[in-house]
Amino acid sequence: MASLDRVKVLVLGDSGVGKSSLVHLLCQNQVLGNPSWTVGCSVDVRAQDYKEGTPEEKTYYIELWDVGGSVGCASSIKSTRAVFYNSVNGIILVHDLTNKKSSQNLYRWSLEALNKDSSPTGVIVSNGSDYDREQFAENPVPLLLIGTKFDQIPDNKRNEVLTRTAFLSEDFNAEEINLDCTNPRYLAAGTSNAVKLSRFFDKVRVQRREVIYSIPLEIDPTVITACKGNIVYSVNIICIIIWCSSLAQIKVILREEQYCLF
Amino acid sequence: MSFLVDSVIMFTSQVLFFGFGWLFFMRQLFKDYEVRQYVVQVVFSVTFAFSCTMFELIIFEILGALSSNSRYFHWKLNLYVILLVLIFVVPFYIGYFVVSNIRLLQRQKLLFACMVWFTFMYFFWKLGDPFPILSPKHGILSIEQLISRVGVIGVTLMALLSGFGAVNCPYTYMSYFLRNVTDSDILALERRLLQTMDMIISKKKRIAMTRRQMYQRGEDQNKQTGFWGMIKSVTSTQTGSENLSLIQQEVDALEELSRQLFLETVDLQATKERIEYSKTFQGKYFNFLGYFFSIYCVWKIFMATINIVFDRVGKTDPVTRGIEITVNYLGIQFDVKFWSQHISFILVGIIIVTSIRGLLITLTKFFYAISSSKSSNVIVLVLAQIMGMYFVSSVLLMRMSMPLEYRSIVTEVLGELQFNFYHRWFDVIFLVSALSSILFLYLAHKQAPEKHMAL
């Protein structure tokens, strides 16, 4: 039951774009005073209210995993980083609006994270580093694009930068938010940014539930056809038991929040 | 007329070097950053171009290309320009970019940059005092003053880098030093890392939940201020915030642990990859080279010690000595003049190419390791300064590797410096650097298996 409550969102991007400041702003609602380099991965939790204002209001804790490093670093660092990419429910891609290369590197970041995604129904991206828009269209893991250092762009360049990020968000099939991590005003309640953010987190939660519900439906045919003889009989029994228990789980959760799936 | 032709040739080659420096900057150094200040790129490429031109002039000296008047003229010109760049332009821009990063001093950028430059000049001048590098007949503003100081800094850098390189090269190449790492070790460490992350998450969730409850109950998060606040905080027990600070301390400790585990895992992965690499054909080749280099390194340390202890400065260069040995002891007769020219050309060429390549690779690694988007400009300029000083002093030291007839131009152009002092200084710093690298690598190697065993 404990794994049902976990919602894991990765925060990826080049080094120096402001991921740690962003995560601190999202979780503590305060500006990070002394940002320093992230070694490895730093985690923080954000309390997100679901169905606020209704009697079924529930508070979920979303884990934001801020993975550090650059996309072109040594393969030993890359393979160690891959440990953090397991069972991811959502990805926030962070880029620096004043640095075009950080936006271009986001393609490689997303491929790195999605290639390592080991959730059972996740679409496994097939070959290495070729970028394909189709893959992102069918991708079940929700993405969010955040551009930082918005205040450092001079007014005359603003339109150009915004068009560029609009193209980027189309490519990823994701929403985009442009902000300045040293100013909490951008994410104040009621702004369009705050709305986009809560929509993203809701999408993440919904996707996670679909993943968990679909597991029992998939095990049955493959397991049964692969076995023979009386092994089939015992395997059938096991499958029926799993099916019943998952149905029971579903019933419990449905009772809890009256979420209608069927 | 020939002077004009020679100048055109020199100019073309300088433009080529400039282009190469520009490409290197864009493709390698600034791969992940956007170049916003083109001044930095220009200064870096100019330093690179003029340093390479000096090497080119040495090659021309050996080959006897171009007339000797134009060679001399270009030497002098090149030297003046390089000194101008290294002592005036680059330090000023370093000061300027450092000042622009600091928010407080934004108004008077130029003024503060000039102040930084004057401080740099003061220390640069003071550098010459403890060293016996000048004879008293030079005036205060002569070119020898500047070159001698640049030479000291550059020679120190060269000796440090070659000392460390001489020891590190066999250590990385030879597979004798590789620790045994199995897949299960790595998996165990990764599992521990994920467990630590899970513990951090659960503790942070508790903190967030407690904070929320306290906020909803209307308690004030901040400590009570004021006189009455202090009295109140003494009498009432704020168990909520005390618990919070305890949990926060545990979280800090766990975060430190997770960082350590991450670094250890990276280390083990790197070792595993090196073990796999050493089983390939290329790996075996490098392993063999490693044995060869370790013998060379030991020999160099031995020679440096002998030079210092017996106060000996080599008089003849390796080319002439090699030819002497072959002619006198092995009895092989050949045209000495012809062969000495070609062999010294090849030897000097190899030295130049390997030192340029080695320096650029080291600078790139250094740059990736320490740069960030704010400080990238400053770091590139510092690297340009190091590169310029390195190349100037390698010309100085290369004088020893060339036969007598080619040494004269270097002596003439650089003025009457105490070259012997520079070689002695190089030997001393090389010895110090090599011995301390051996000590450092020994300690690091010893410490790693103990950490590994403790898991």
Side-chain angles (χ1 to χ4, degrees):
Chain A
M1 271 304 268
S3 61
L4 280 181
D5 286 335
R6 294 192 66 168
V7 183
K8 176 170 162 181
V9 172
L10 282 183
V11 178
L12 299 177
D14 274 356
S15 108
V17 296
K19 300 184 293 289
S20 307
S21 316
L22 176 71
V23 165
H24 198 258
L25 185 63
L26 286 177
C27 300
Q28 317 281 349
N29 287 320
Q30 276 175 352
V31 174
L32 183 60
N34 49 342
S36 63
W37 280 0
T38 321
V39 175
C41 171
S42 86
V43 196
D44 215 341
V45 295
R46 175 181 163 96
Q48 184 80 9
D49 290 322
Y50 177 62
K51 282 197 175 166
E52 204 168 347
T54 65
E56 301 99 17
E57 182 180 351
K58 200 162 174 20
T59 308
Y60 279 89
Y61 290 98
I62 303 184
E63 306 162 15
L64 292 171
W65 290 56
D66 164 20
V67 177
S70 64
V71 84
C73 59
S75 58
S76 54
I77 302 186
K78 275 198 198 167
S79 24
T80 316
R81 261 202 317 238
V83 154
F84 300 126
Y85 297 156
N86 290 327
S87 58
V88 158
N89 303 117
I91 302 183
I92 297 183
L93 295 168
V94 187
H95 66 116
D96 185 350
L97 290 168
T98 58
N99 183 355
K100 274 188 235 172
K101 301 247 174 84
S102 65
S103 325
Q104 287 163 5
N105 282 337
L106 283 182
Y107 296 109
R108 291 165 69 184
W109 273 115
S110 52
L111 283 174
E112 188 182 323
L114 291 174
N115 263 329
K116 291 291 178 295
D117 190 4
S118 60
S119 69
T121 56
V123 172
I124 304 297
V125 180
S126 52
N127 55 5
S129 50
D130 292 328
Y131 159 66
D132 185 5
R133 204 188 270 215
E134 312 278 307
Q135 292 167 348
F136 288 106
E138 305 164 356
N139 180 26
V141 177
L143 300 172
L144 177 68
L145 205 63
I146 295 192
T148 55
K149 308 194 188 165
F150 190 53
D151 56 322
Q152 288 179 22
I153 306 180
D155 284 326
N156 51 351
K157 294 259 177 75
R158 228 159 243 204
N159 278 332
E160 182 188 317
V161 168
L162 288 176
T163 8
R164 182 164 56 87
T165 53
F167 276 130
L168 206 62
S169 64
E170 257 184 56
D171 278 345
F172 283 114
N173 193 22
E175 290 270 9
E176 59 154 347
I177 295 179
N178 295 321
L179 47 70
D180 168 24
C181 294
T182 58
N183 191 347
R185 184 172 61 86
Y186 284 92
L187 289 176
T191 56
S192 63
N193 287 340
V195 169
K196 285 186 198 168
L197 200 62
S198 41
R199 263 215 304 255
F200 170 72
F201 285 130
D202 289 340
K203 216 161 109 178
V204 165
R205 268 197 51 256
V206 165
Q207 299 275 11
R208 183 179 59 87
R209 294 217 165 270
E210 283 179 7
V211 163
I212 292 179
Y213 290 154
S214 62
I215 289 180
L217 293 171
E218 285 198 358
I219 286 186
D220 282 326
T222 50
V223 169
I224 292 175
T225 51
C227 301
K228 292 184 179 179
N230 50 2
I231 304 177
V232 176
Y233 179 72
S234 43
V235 163
N236 267 330
I237 300 284
I238 295 173
C239 289
I240 291 171
I241 294 175
I242 294 175
W243 179 265
C244 292
S245 63
S246 63
L247 274 182
Q249 274 180 355
I250 293 172
K251 289 228 171 76
V252 164
I253 295 167
L254 286 183
R255 246 202 309 271
E256 269 184 26
E257 16 173 73
Q258 286 145 26
Y259 192 90
C260 187
L261 187 64
F262 302 114
Chain B
M1 184 56 208
S2 69
F3 181 70
L4 206 60
V5 171
D6 295 341
S7 306
V8 166
I9 296 177
M10 291 304 299
F11 185 67
T12 330
S13 57
Q14 273 172 356
V15 166
L16 271 173
F17 288 134
F18 182 85
F20 183 75
W22 186 274
L23 272 177
F24 173 76
F25 183 92
M26 257 192 349
R27 293 287 167 77
Q28 286 278 75
L29 283 184
F30 260 45
K31 227 171 25 157
D32 286 329
Y33 301 109
E34 220 175 72
V35 183
R36 257 166 285 157
Q37 310 267 15
Y38 278 100
V39 152
V40 174
Q41 198 168 1
V42 166
V43 165
F44 182 86
S45 311
V46 161
T47 318
F48 184 76
F50 280 103
S51 317
C52 288
T53 318
M54 273 200 303
F55 288 131
E56 192 196 12
L57 281 170
I58 293 187
I59 298 279
F60 282 166
E61 192 67 37
I62 296 180
L63 286 181
L66 310 186
S67 68
S68 68
N69 282 342
S70 44
R71 277 203 304 255
Y72 183 73
F73 171 76
H74 279 285
W75 262 115
K76 278 283 183 198
L77 175 71
N78 213 6
L79 198 66
Y80 285 140
V81 170
I82 259 240
L83 283 177
L84 187 78
V85 167
L86 280 183
I87 297 178
F88 293 100
V89 175
V90 177
F92 175 74
Y93 274 116
I94 292 179
Y96 180 76
F97 283 114
V98 164
V99 163
S100 17
N101 270 341
I102 305 176
R103 284 191 205 179
L104 295 173
L105 308 172
Q106 284 295 333
R107 305 277 158 137
Q108 312 272 21
K109 267 196 259 198
L110 277 177
L111 182 67
F112 282 110
C114 288
M115 274 171 54
V116 171
W117 184 78
F118 277 119
T119 331
F120 165 77
M121 277 311 286
Y122 175 72
F123 282 113
F124 185 71
W125 207 259
K126 276 288 175 203
L127 191 67
D129 289 345
F131 297 111
I133 42 183
L134 293 172
S135 37
K137 50 185 167 165
H138 294 132
I140 255 271
L141 282 180
S142 63
I143 206 97
E144 282 84 7
Q145 300 264 2
L146 299 174
I147 297 185
S148 53
R149 286 171 170 84
V150 168
V152 166
I153 303 178
V155 164
T156 317
L157 276 168
M158 273 186 82
L160 280 174
L161 282 178
S162 22
F164 180 69
V167 172
N168 195 35
C169 174
Y171 182 73
T172 36
Y173 283 177
M174 298 202 317
S175 51
Y176 174 75
F177 295 113
L178 281 181
R179 299 188 300 274
N180 238 344
V181 168
T182 57
D183 277 340
S184 54
D185 295 334
I186 298 184
L187 278 175
L189 252 190
E190 284 179 355
R191 219 175 320 142
R192 263 188 77 184
L193 179 61
L194 285 177
Q195 276 172 3
T196 317
M197 302 304 289
D198 289 340
M199 288 201 292
I200 296 178
I201 290 174
S202 58
K203 290 205 168 14
K204 285 209 167 165
K205 278 188 187 161
R206 272 181 63 191
I207 294 181
M209 263 195 306
T210 324
R211 275 228 183 96
R212 252 189 166 217
Q213 285 166 0
M214 286 169 65
Y215 180 70
Q216 279 165 358
R217 275 189 274 139
E219 282 181 35
D220 197 352
Q221 285 303 313
N222 302 326
K223 290 200 182 54
Q224 308 264 14
T225 52
F227 185 63
W228 290 114
M230 274 198 319
I231 303 237
K232 260 197 252 177
S233 65
V234 163
T235 52
S236 71
T237 49
Q238 295 195 355
T239 47
S241 52
E242 271 174 19
N243 271 345
L244 272 189
S245 57
L246 265 176
I247 304 181
Q248 186 63 43
Q249 279 176 6
E250 288 172 24
V251 163
D252 290 338
L254 281 175
E255 280 184 336
E256 187 59 45
L257 176 66
S258 78
R259 281 191 278 265
Q260 295 287 348
L261 286 174
F262 180 80
L263 290 175
E264 278 177 36
T265 316
V266 169
D267 208 22
L268 285 189
Q269 289 272 10
T271 315
K272 182 178 138 191
E273 279 166 18
R274 274 182 60 196
I275 292 179
E276 278 170 22
Y277 180 72
S278 73
K279 297 196 178 114
T280 66
F281 187 63
Q282 252 191 332
K284 293 203 171 86
Y285 166 70
F286 275 112
N287 186 29
F288 172 70
L289 268 189
Y291 283 107
F292 178 70
F293 276 130
S294 57
I295 297 176
Y296 174 71
C297 165
V298 168
W299 181 75
K300 272 204 88 161
I301 295 181
F302 181 64
M303 289 309 288
T305 327
I306 297 267
N307 280 342
I308 296 174
V309 167
F310 292 114
D311 199 15
R312 193 182 72 117
V313 182
K315 290 284 180 218
T316 52
D317 57 292
V319 180
T320 318
R321 180 115 48 80
I323 293 180
E324 268 176 22
I325 294 178
T326 41
V327 168
N328 292 342
Y329 295 114
L330 298 181
I332 304 175
Q333 299 289 338
F334 55 87
D335 188 0
V336 174
K337 261 189 106 53
F338 174 75
W339 280 110
S340 91
Q341 185 187 23
H342 279 75
I343 294 178
S344 49
F345 164 69
I346 293 175
L347 184 72
V348 165
I350 292 178
I351 295 179
I352 290 174
V353 167
T354 47
S355 68
I356 293 182
R357 181 180 169 273
L359 183 75
L360 287 182
I361 290 178
T362 315
L363 288 187
T364 318
K365 270 196 235 171
F366 203 61
F367 183 74
Y368 286 160
I370 64 175
S371 77
S372 72
S373 51
K374 273 183 84 173
S375 60
S376 54
N377 286 333
V378 173
I379 293 184
V380 159
L381 285 174
V382 167
L383 293 183
Q385 176 93 358
I386 291 178
M387 179 175 71
M389 291 189 167
Y390 186 94
F391 287 153
V392 166
S393 35
S394 58
V395 164
L396 225 144
L397 289 180
M398 207 184 298
R399 188 182 151 272
M400 218 48 182
S401 312
M402 299 193 290
L404 271 172
E405 55 263 32
Y406 310 123
R407 276 190 214 176
S408 56
I409 187 83
V410 178
T411 325
E412 224 178 295
V413 168
L414 294 182
E416 285 196 27
L417 299 176
Q418 306 273 29
F419 290 104
N420 295 339
F421 162 74
Y422 287 106
H423 288 284
R424 176 57 40 78
W425 184 245
F426 180 89
D427 284 332
V428 168
I429 301 285
F430 176 82
L431 201 62
V432 166
S433 160
L435 290 178
S436 46
S437 323
I438 290 180
L439 186 68
F440 170 72
L441 283 176
Y442 175 74
L443 285 176
H445 190 71
K446 264 287 180 198
Q447 204 195 28
E450 282 169 6
K451 265 197 303 191
H452 191 53
M453 294 304 175
L455 296 176

